[in-house]
Amino acid sequence: MQVWTVSEPGVAADAAQAALLGMIPHLGSSGFRSQALAAINLGLPSGSWSVYRIRRDAPPVCYLSGSHARPDTTPACLHAYRTWLYRHDRTFEALADARQPLQALHLTAADVPDARHRHAIYERHGLRERLSVASSFPDDSILSVNLYRHADQPGFAERELELFSRLAPGLLAMVARQIELCEPVASVPAGLPPERLRELLLQLAPSLPQRELDVCVRLLAGMSHDGIACDLGISATTVKTYRNRAYARFGIHHNNELFALVLQRSGRGG
């Protein structure tokens, strides 16, 4: 395993510039996750990627994931990771302990210390290596952008690690901006836990199916469509289908209307 501090870039490599320029037109769009990965592949071939925030003693929040030119196994990986494996993941400890704002990490499947983590994610889904750029926050959380090489791909070469160092600051900034643009503009009060949200939604629509309920609870918690897809192990398109069906039952069309309905039902509306 290698861990190093990412310095401020000077003159970026052509491939890094091309990747970042390829992402810019798609910022704020639903196609960002696939188009950004395609742009990264212009100079740094990667079979798949994921973006998530890690917190101590809490399930990670996934913002987006996807694969390039291969079947997408990232929802299954992230669902297993968020359900229980995150409790055993020690691969970010070096980043969490280091007092640096921006760091990169390279590890192979053999570097993953926990056998359950290594088998359920890397061996089961044919992942060979991971490159991560991560930034620490005052609340001890870490935002991580992760690129994966698969078993049918060669390992990352030294020149590619150097390219990643040049790409990493812009990549993380671009992803952070995408998260800001795509997060819901409204949120429910912190005093309403998921269990209470479920109760309120079922009061509004007693026949609401489980999957539609799952999606609505996560929307109310502030998760993006891509994040919900990662969490539930389904596609973002399927998330939107469940959302639309639920909104039809409620007689609404927009996220803000859902927030307003739940706040009114809870007695906290304006």
Side-chain angles (χ1 to χ4, degrees):
M1 181 188 298
Q2 296 171 268
V3 176
W4 67 97
T5 299
V6 177
S7 60
E8 288 297 318
V11 179
D14 289 345
Q17 287 183 330
L20 294 173
L21 288 172
M23 295 179 202
I24 291 172
H26 305 284
L27 270 174
S29 75
S30 59
F32 178 82
R33 64 173 180 168
S34 59
Q35 295 299 329
L37 183 57
I40 291 169
N41 269 268
L42 293 174
L44 191 60
S46 303
S48 56
W49 77 325
S50 64
V51 178
Y52 48 81
R53 187 184 293 272
I54 306 162
R55 291 183 171 85
R56 295 181 184 275
D57 303 320
V61 175
C62 174
Y63 295 107
L64 59 87
S65 71
S67 294
H68 181 73
R70 65 183 62 244
D72 189 8
T73 60
T74 58
C77 290
L78 288 163
H79 180 66
Y81 184 74
R82 192 178 189 278
T83 301
W84 63 280
L85 285 174
Y86 74 91
R87 298 186 179 92
H88 310 285
D89 185 4
R90 300 293 178 263
T91 62
F92 286 100
E93 286 185 344
L95 301 184
D97 293 340
R99 299 172 183 267
Q100 299 292 339
L102 190 64
Q103 289 192 290
L105 177 149
H106 170 226
L107 78 156
T108 67
D111 292 326
V112 179
D114 187 89
R116 293 164 296 184
H117 182 189
R118 185 169 60 250
H119 172 72
I121 303 297
Y122 289 82
E123 295 173 354
R124 183 174 182 181
H125 297 283
L127 301 182
R128 175 178 182 148
E129 296 182 28
R130 186 182 93 205
L131 271 178
S132 300
V133 56
S135 180
S136 300
F137 292 83
D139 63 357
D140 291 330
S141 69
I142 295 174
L143 178 65
S144 179
V145 180
N146 313 288
L147 306 181
Y148 301 92
R149 282 270 171 92
H150 292 241
D152 61 334
Q153 298 178 296
F156 288 107
E158 285 298 323
R159 61 178 176 78
E160 291 178 312
L161 300 184
E162 172 61 22
L163 172 58
F164 186 67
S165 288
R166 295 178 181 274
L167 174 64
L171 175 61
L172 190 66
M174 199 85 68
V175 165
R177 182 58 177 156
Q178 173 69 11
I179 293 170
E180 291 176 1
L181 291 171
C182 293
E183 284 296 284
V185 297
S187 60
V188 297
L192 291 178
E195 295 76 13
R196 179 57 177 154
L197 293 176
R198 288 178 178 274
E199 292 176 3
L200 293 170
L201 288 167
L202 288 173
Q203 289 174 16
L204 291 164
S207 62
L208 193 66
Q210 184 64 46
R211 270 311 199 207
E212 294 175 27
L213 180 62
D214 291 338
V215 167
C216 288
V217 168
R218 285 160 175 78
L219 286 172
L220 290 165
M223 294 180 68
S224 67
H225 291 140
D226 285 335
I228 296 170
C230 294
D231 197 28
L232 296 178
I234 57 180
S235 70
T237 300
T238 303
V239 169
K240 293 176 183 178
T241 297
Y242 286 135
R243 178 205 62 188
N244 292 341
R245 289 175 182 172
Y247 283 8
R249 297 179 199 277
F250 293 130
I252 60 176
H253 298 90
H254 304 289
N255 285 359
N256 286 344
E257 294 176 280
L258 178 65
F259 293 122
L261 278 177
V262 170
L263 288 174
Q264 184 179 23
R265 188 72 184 184
S266 70
R268 301 190 184 194

